[in-house]
């Protein structure tokens, strides 16, 4: 990865020399020298990266050259930022005087950059001397293995990656070796014992404790037994008030009033409130990843024993924690997989589409290699699935032999340590994928990451390359899928085919943080030392934000700040202004969940002219400053406050011509058609949309529209030829206007209709391209009177369908050969539904059926009984679309 970091610095230095033709000779010579020397050092980096695992001195050398390369880029970008601001002048006399003044300022800036370049030159000279000392030799650039070591093949590699049809298995579905344990623990949870019992599952990291627990949590038996359920992750660093709030929100919802109340509550108040909430309820609470017994002690007071059979599942790596949380509870130590189970798990990872055990196809040589490698994993599931992810991207016997050879070099006690398997899988990534993977380590342990936000951050950080005519968002999504298919990150939540959130295993996060620190990708503020590393230009603050903001960081060219401190609640004007005047080179500023005093974004935000990502979701901001119009480079503005509040956007927002993703509920009509680069627009009110000339929004792919009324026209939506995802939500109790314009959206794939549909004929002209369809009425008994299934069954590409409060009739009929591609069906809150007739040739490939809130439906068609039927969990749908009240 380091050679690519240096390559980027060399490219930047070369561009600077071309663009700044008026450089003083001494400065030009130093920049040229620095570019040439860094370019020369690239030849040594392959050898250095190979040696650094065994040699700390070589590792330090790689660390230093990475720091210089990153610092060189930061210096040039800082200069470019100032030059861009100084270059904005008109042609008047006063402006010519200002231009003369700017020439003087430019000379001063050349002087400053000259000092920075001279300092970097001296550091590079020192690094060059160390190269000989450490015995790092010149090698051919074509040496090495793995995508990250193949020069001049970057674009072709990425295009192959993009074009590959990524197939991955949900890690929770790779449920091998746990069947007996699963049933035993399920029986324990369903015992007719009235006292509140704690069931503890313990074992080393990577054994599958969370996977087993999630399968228990989602089992139909527990869903129907425990109507009140909640899941929290504790981790090593935890906040008891935040854990209590998470349980309360899982049980009682997330209304505006509730969130405000919870913010103001003390720990004692939260504890009392949760106890009262759970009183008289039979509940199941999962407390995942507990490291210290004190964490459980701080929670258990809020979990009352109602003598009604309530249960708690606790997972931990520590036996003493598991054994001592409940003297009368049940604890289970998770075992390693045996050889047969290990082989089965590897095969399922390599061939997720093959459900038959023993039917996997390998050549004899490949099977022998795979068996030898999986044997050395010693039954650790995480090691096996990561190995499988690596092998799935290495084709042929020779490539698998190289993997085996590398693993055998790190044998210890006749087994391969998990850290080496994880490191090998990381090393096999391309440079761009390495950056994306490492960046995930910037989030807290056990953090559930919004994938849409993650991909927007990747774009803003410059990790996603431009490849010919491909859209960067598509490349980012493909990167996400590849990391999942390699088992380097895991799917957390989905809505049909869309991945909503992801997570990373603790051991893999440890690897990401370690490697990120080695190459100075980011810094996680540590209040114990109360300082940050000078050469790391991305900062994540997980705790003690007040202390971080009090540091003097004016000399650092910080590119990104993510305030992820759950305890930090208030950012006053003074601190905000300091932030916007100190960190002038920011690309990313994420203030999610931060309460900003005054409910308004200060004018100082206009200083951050380099900003590409501004995260203001779940804040209290009701008004944005007009100075936001100065942020010409902004790509993503996420200011979605909550489910019902809107944010007042200034008219200057239309000056943000590079804006690609606008996610907010705003009050005033905007001429959004000026934002021709928009790809995401959520959530615009229909009365504002009617002023929009949609024909100019040629790049818009996702649109969310609310407050629709029957009298409005949706005609302009038909102009959106690139649209792939559409949410249409009526005002409460309102009816949809004609949906005929949607038939012109020839690329539309996902459609969500929430509101009253008077006649089934209104959906008759939906585009044939639709693969996901949700029909939902906002109020009970306002659904269709006519059975919609005969019409919906004709959609040729429909794979996922949900009907929720959308039909008032007593019978549904699926005709012959209908729903030929349907894989997932959800029927919810169809209160009058009594019978369901399905032709033998209908729904021939259905894989999943979910029914909830259909009390009169006593029987489902016989040939669908083998498909899992779950009654209840709607959290995924509510997460994917946050409804206004």
């Amino acid at each position: 990865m380091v050679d690519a970091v240096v390559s980027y610095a060399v490219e930047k230095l070369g561009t600077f020399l071309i663009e700044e033709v008026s450089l003083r000779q001494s400065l030009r010579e130093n920049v040229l020298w620095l570019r040439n020397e860094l370019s020369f050092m690239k030849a040594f980096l392959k050898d250095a990266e190979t040696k650094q695992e065994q040699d700390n001195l070589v590792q330090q050398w790689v660390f230093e050259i990475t720091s210089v390369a990153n610092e060189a880029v930061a210096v040039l970008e800082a200069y470019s930022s100032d030059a861009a601001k100084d270059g904005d002048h008109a042609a008047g006399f006063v402006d010519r005087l200002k231009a003369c003044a700017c020439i003087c300022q430019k000379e001063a800036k050349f002087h400053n950059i000259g000092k920075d370049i001279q300092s970097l030159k001296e550091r590079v000279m020192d690094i060059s001397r160390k190269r000989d000392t450490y015995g790092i030799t010149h090698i051919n650039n074509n040496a090495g293995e793995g995508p990250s070591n193949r020069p001049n093949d970057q674009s072709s590699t990425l295009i192959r990656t993009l074009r590959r049809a990524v197939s991955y298995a949900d890690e929770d579905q790779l449920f091998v070796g746990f069947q007996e344990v699963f049933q035993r623990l399920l029986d324990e949870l369903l015992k007719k014992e009235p006292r509140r019992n704690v069931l503890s599952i313990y074992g080393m990291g990577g054994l599958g404790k969370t996977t087993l627990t999630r399968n228990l949590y989602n089992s139909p038996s527990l869903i129907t037994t425990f109507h009140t359920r909640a899941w929290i992750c504790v981790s090593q660093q935890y906040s008891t008030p935040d854990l209590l709030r998470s349980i309360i929100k899982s049980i009682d919802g997330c209304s505006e009033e509730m969130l405000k109340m919870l913010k103001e509550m003390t720990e004692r108040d939260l504890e009392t409130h949760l106890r009262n909430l759970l009183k008289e309820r039979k509940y199941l609470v999962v407390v995942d990843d507990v490291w210290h017994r004190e964490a459980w002690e701080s929670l258990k007071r809020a979990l009352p024993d109602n003598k009604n059979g309530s249960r708690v599942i606790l997972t931990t790596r520590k036996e003493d924690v598991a054994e001592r949380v409940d003297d009368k509870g049940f604890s289970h130590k998770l075992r390693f997989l045996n050889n047969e189970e290990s082989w089965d798990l590897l095969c399922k990872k390599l061939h997720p589409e093959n459900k038959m055990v023993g039917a996997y196809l390998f050549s004899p040589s490949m099977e022998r290699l795979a068996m030898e490698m999986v044997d050395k994993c010693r039954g650790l599931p995480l090691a096996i699935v990561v190995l499988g992810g690596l092998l799935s991207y290495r084709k042929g016997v020779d490539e698998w032999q190289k993997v085996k050879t590398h693993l055998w070099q790190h044998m210890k006690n006749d087994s391969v340590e998990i850290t080496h398997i994880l490191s090998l899988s990381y090393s096999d990534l391309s440079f761009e994928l390495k950056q994306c993977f490492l960046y995930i380590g910037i989030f807290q342990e056990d953090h559930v990451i919004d994938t849409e936000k993650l991909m927007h951050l990747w774009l803003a950080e410059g990790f996603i390359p431009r490849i010919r005519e491909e859209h960067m968002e598509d490349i980012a999504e493909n990167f996400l899928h590849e990391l999942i298919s390699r088992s380097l990150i895991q799917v957390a939540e989905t809505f049909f085919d869309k991945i909503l959130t992801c997570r990373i295993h603790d051991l893999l996060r440890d690897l990401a943080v370690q490697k990120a620190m080695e190459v100075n990708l980011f810094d996680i503020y540590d209040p114990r030392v109360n300082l940050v590393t000078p050469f790391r230009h991305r900062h994540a603050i997980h705790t003690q934000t007040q202390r971080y903001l009090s540091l003097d960081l004016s000399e650092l060219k910080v590119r990104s700040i993510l305030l992820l401190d759950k305890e930090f609640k208030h950012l006053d004007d003074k601190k905000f202004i300091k932030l916007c005047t100190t960190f002038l080179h920011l690309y990313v500023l994420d203030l999610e969940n931060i309460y900003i005093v005054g409910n308004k974004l200060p004018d100082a935000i206009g200083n951050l002219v380099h900003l590409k990502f501004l995260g203001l979701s779940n804040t209290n901001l009701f008004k944005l400053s007009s100075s936001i119009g100065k942020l010409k480079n902004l790509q993503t503005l996420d200011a979605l406050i909550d489910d019902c509040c809107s944010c007042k956007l200034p008219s200057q927002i239309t000056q943000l011509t590079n804006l690609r993703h606008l996610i907010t509920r705003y009050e005033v009509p905007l001429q959004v058609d000026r934002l021709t680069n928009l790809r995401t627009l959520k959530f615009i009110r229909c009365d504002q949309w009617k002023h929009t000339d949609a024909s100019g929004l040629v790049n818009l792919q996702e649109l969310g529209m609310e407050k629709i009324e029957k009298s409005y026209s949706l005609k302009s939506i038909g102009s959106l030829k690139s649209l792939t995802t559409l949410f249409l939500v009526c005002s409460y109790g309102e009816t949809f206007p004609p949906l005929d314009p949607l038939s012109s959206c020839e690329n539309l794939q996902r459609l969500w209709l929430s509101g009253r549909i008077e006649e089934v004929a209104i959906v008759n002209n939906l585009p044939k391209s639709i693969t996901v369809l949700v029909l939902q009425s906002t109020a009970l008994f306002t659904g269709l009177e006519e059975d919609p299934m005969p019409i919906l069954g004709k959609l040729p590409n429909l794979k996922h369908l949900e009907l929720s409060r959308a039909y008032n009739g007593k019978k549904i009929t699926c005709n012959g050969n209908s729903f030929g591609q349907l894989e997932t069906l959800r029927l919810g809150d169809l209160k009058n539904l009594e019978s369901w007739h399905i032709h033998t040739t209908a729904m021939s490939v259905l894989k999943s059926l979910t029914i909830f809130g259909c009390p009169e439906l006593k029987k489902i068609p016989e040939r669908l009984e083998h498909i899992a039927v779950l009654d209840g969990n709607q959290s995924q749908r509510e997460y994917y679309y946050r409804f206004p009240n």
Side-chain angles (χ1 to χ4, degrees), residues 93-106:
F93 176 71
V94 174
D95 296 308
R96 285 197 294 270
L97 287 177
K98 289 181 179 178
C100 291
C102 286
I103 293 173
C104 298
Q105 292 172 3
K106 190 171 185 178

Side-chain angles (χ1 to χ4, degrees), residues 37-259:
E37 188 66 15
L38 287 175
S39 182
F40 178 67
M41 282 188 176
K42 284 171 56 182
F44 297 87
L45 285 172
K46 305 279 191 313
D47 183 42
E49 286 199 273
T50 303
K51 291 181 177 179
Q52 66 174 334
E53 291 186 12
Q54 291 82 29
D55 193 326
N56 289 333
L57 290 175
V58 175
Q59 186 179 72
Q60 181 63 27
W61 186 86
V62 172
F63 177 90
E64 289 177 10
I65 194 170
T66 306
S67 298
V68 168
N70 283 326
E71 184 73 8
V73 171
V75 166
L76 297 178
E77 288 181 343
Y79 170 78
S80 299
S81 168
D82 293 336
K85 286 192 289 184
D86 294 342
D88 259 351
H89 297 291
F93 176 71
V94 174
D95 296 308
R96 285 197 294 270
L97 287 177
K98 289 181 179 178
C100 291
C102 286
I103 293 173
C104 298
Q105 292 172 3
K106 190 171 185 178
E107 281 301 312
K109 285 162 187 166
F110 276 151
H111 176 70
N112 291 334
I113 194 175
K115 290 195 300 182
D116 290 335
I117 294 293
Q118 180 62 35
S119 173
L120 290 172
K121 179 180 178 180
E122 292 171 1
R123 287 168 60 188
V124 170
M125 292 172 69
D126 183 54
I127 290 171
S128 297
R129 287 191 293 269
K130 290 177 179 176
R131 183 181 66 227
D132 297 330
T133 304
Y134 299 159
I136 300 169
T137 59
H138 185 289
I139 62 175
N140 189 303
N141 267 350
N142 290 322
E145 295 175 21
S148 59
N149 292 331
R150 296 174 194 144
N152 304 320
D153 193 31
Q154 185 184 70
S155 60
S156 60
T157 299
L158 287 169
I159 290 170
R160 285 197 302 273
T161 300
L162 185 65
R163 296 300 183 192
R164 182 187 293 123
V166 178
S167 174
Y168 62 86
D170 186 339
E171 301 300 326
D172 291 342
Q173 302 307 314
L174 297 179
F175 196 54
V176 175
F178 291 149
Q179 285 78 5
E180 290 184 10
V181 174
F182 173 85
Q183 191 57 52
R184 182 182 177 189
L185 297 182
L186 186 63
D187 293 342
E188 191 68 31
L189 291 166
L190 295 173
K191 268 186 180 178
K192 302 296 183 182
E193 185 174 345
R195 71 178 292 270
R196 182 209 67 194
N197 273 348
V198 179
L199 186 152
S200 301
I201 303 171
Y202 68 97
M204 72 171 286
L207 271 174
K209 300 180 293 296
T210 300
T211 298
L212 173 60
T213 303
R214 191 170 290 105
N215 276 272
L216 286 168
Y217 186 77
N218 290 325
S219 67
S221 300
L222 293 190
I223 290 173
T224 54
T225 301
F226 300 97
H227 297 293
T228 298
R229 301 185 304 144
W231 181 301
I232 55 171
C233 286
V234 180
S235 305
Q236 296 187 65
Q237 295 181 345
Y238 64 91
S239 161
T240 300
D242 277 339
L243 295 175
L244 294 171
R245 289 187 186 99
S246 294
I247 299 175
I248 293 169
K249 285 188 284 188
S250 295
I251 296 169
D252 220 20
C254 301
S255 67
E256 181 189 6
E257 294 77 15
M258 173 63 68
L259 293 174

Side-chain angles (χ1 to χ4, degrees), residues 369-506:
L369 286 169
M371 282 185 166
E372 290 176 359
M373 286 187 277
V374 79
D375 179 60
K376 301 307 179 184
C377 293
R378 289 294 183 259
L380 187 65
L382 178 62
I384 295 168
V385 295
V386 172
L387 175 63
L390 171 60
L391 293 177
S392 68
Y393 283 82
R394 292 292 190 100
K395 305 302 180 184
V397 176
D398 291 343
E399 290 294 310
W400 282 26
Q401 181 62 54
K402 291 176 183 177
V403 174
K404 178 192 169 184
T405 300
H406 191 283
L407 291 177
W408 258 236
Q409 292 173 354
H410 299 280
M411 294 277 284
K412 188 175 182 181
N413 298 326
D414 199 34
S415 66
V416 180
E417 291 193 4
I418 177 67
T419 53
H420 292 302
I421 295 177
L422 302 186
S423 294
L424 181 58
S425 187
Y426 163 76
S427 298
D428 193 59
L429 300 176
S430 67
F431 167 62
E432 292 81 8
L433 268 174
K434 281 180 179 175
Q435 288 188 114
C436 292
F437 168 71
L438 296 185
Y439 194 77
I440 297 172
I442 208 168
F443 298 99
Q444 295 102 319
E445 184 180 336
D446 289 326
H447 183 70
V448 177
I449 305 165
D450 184 309
T451 53
E452 184 179 75
K453 176 179 177 178
L454 176 64
M455 289 186 285
H456 293 168
L457 286 168
W458 284 347
L459 259 70
E461 297 286 8
F463 298 157
I464 306 301
R466 295 182 181 273
I467 304 177
R468 296 177 188 173
E469 297 179 358
E470 304 292 347
H471 293 294
M472 290 193 292
E473 284 82 359
D474 296 335
I475 298 171
E477 186 170 12
N478 192 265
F479 281 6
L480 176 75
H481 282 228
E482 180 165 346
L483 290 174
I484 292 169
S485 71
R486 287 176 176 268
S487 291
L488 293 176
I489 57 176
Q490 303 167 335
V491 175
E493 293 177 273
T494 62
F495 180 78
F496 292 130
D497 63 338
K498 184 177 178 68
I499 301 171
L500 303 178
T501 60
C502 65
R503 58 181 178 263
I504 183 169
H505 193 281
D506 295 352

Side-chain angles (χ1 to χ4, degrees), residues 523-574:
D523 198 8
I524 298 175
Y525 172 62
D526 186 351
R528 293 170 297 182
V529 295
N530 199 33
L531 52 83
V532 292
T533 305
F535 307 124
R536 294 173 186 159
H537 302 296
R538 299 177 181 92
H539 292 177
I541 300 89
H542 295 173
T543 185
Q544 297 289 324
T545 301
Q546 292 282 15
R547 292 188 67 186
Y548 171 83
L549 293 175
S550 68
L551 296 174
D552 180 9
L553 303 174
S554 57
E555 297 300 316
L556 300 185
K557 298 176 179 64
V558 180
R559 291 171 55 108
S560 305
I561 293 179
L562 289 81
L563 297 184
L564 304 173
D565 180 3
K566 294 179 181 179
E567 292 295 303
F568 181 70
K569 301 300 181 185
H570 296 86
L571 184 64
D572 59 41
D573 276 356
K574 187 176 180 181

Side-chain angles (χ1 to χ4, degrees), residues 524-735:
I524 298 175
Y525 172 62
D526 186 351
R528 293 170 297 182
V529 295
N530 199 33
L531 52 83
V532 292
T533 305
F535 307 124
R536 294 173 186 159
H537 302 296
R538 299 177 181 92
H539 292 177
I541 300 89
H542 295 173
T543 185
Q544 297 289 324
T545 301
Q546 292 282 15
R547 292 188 67 186
Y548 171 83
L549 293 175
S550 68
L551 296 174
D552 180 9
L553 303 174
S554 57
E555 297 300 316
L556 300 185
K557 298 176 179 64
V558 180
R559 291 171 55 108
S560 305
I561 293 179
L562 289 81
L563 297 184
L564 304 173
D565 180 3
K566 294 179 181 179
E567 292 295 303
F568 181 70
K569 301 300 181 185
H570 296 86
L571 184 64
D572 59 41
D573 276 356
K574 187 176 180 181
K575 288 189 175 64
F576 200 115
I577 291 170
K578 178 187 176 184
L579 188 151
C580 293
T581 53
T582 301
F583 304 110
L584 296 176
H585 311 296
L586 283 182
Y587 279 40
V588 169
L589 178 60
D590 186 17
L591 302 176
E592 182 177 353
N593 296 317
I594 303 296
Y595 182 91
I596 298 173
V597 177
N599 296 347
K600 179 187 175 184
L601 193 67
D603 291 341
I605 192 69
N607 293 333
L608 305 180
V609 296
H610 265 309
L611 208 60
K612 294 185 177 181
F613 178 97
L614 180 56
L616 302 171
S617 62
N618 295 322
T619 64
N620 62 315
L621 288 175
F622 299 117
K623 185 176 181 181
L624 301 188
S625 167
S626 60
S627 66
I628 199 170
K630 298 178 181 179
L631 309 183
K632 308 296 186 185
N633 293 300
L634 197 64
Q635 296 175 347
T636 300
L637 173 58
D638 185 353
L640 196 62
I641 301 174
D642 57 34
D643 290 349
C644 60
C645 293
S646 56
C647 181
K648 190 171 184 179
L649 299 184
S651 59
Q652 288 81 0
I653 206 86
T654 57
Q655 298 173 15
L656 307 181
T657 53
N658 286 306
L659 196 64
R660 302 168 74 91
H661 307 283
L662 178 57
I663 306 169
T664 183
R665 293 185 172 94
Y666 51 87
E667 292 180 3
V668 296
L670 292 175
Q671 293 175 297
V672 292
D673 46 287
R674 293 184 181 180
L675 303 175
T676 56
N677 281 310
L678 270 185
R679 291 174 58 86
T680 305
L681 177 58
K682 300 184 296 189
F683 297 91
I684 189 172
R685 289 173 50 149
C686 192
D687 58 342
Q688 297 167 353
W689 176 261
K690 63 186 179 183
H691 300 291
T692 301
D693 179 9
S695 61
L697 299 174
V698 294
N699 294 300
L700 193 64
Q701 292 201 332
E702 184 170 354
L703 173 64
M705 188 183 300
E706 300 177 336
K707 304 292 185 182
I708 298 172
E709 298 182 9
K710 187 176 181 179
S711 60
Y712 294 154
S713 171
L714 302 177
K715 183 178 179 180
S716 59
I717 291 180
S719 304
L720 302 173
K721 302 304 182 183
S722 298
L723 197 66
T724 60
T725 302
L726 177 62
F727 303 95
L728 297 178
V729 183
C730 289
S731 298
Y732 185 79
E734 277 287 339
T735 301

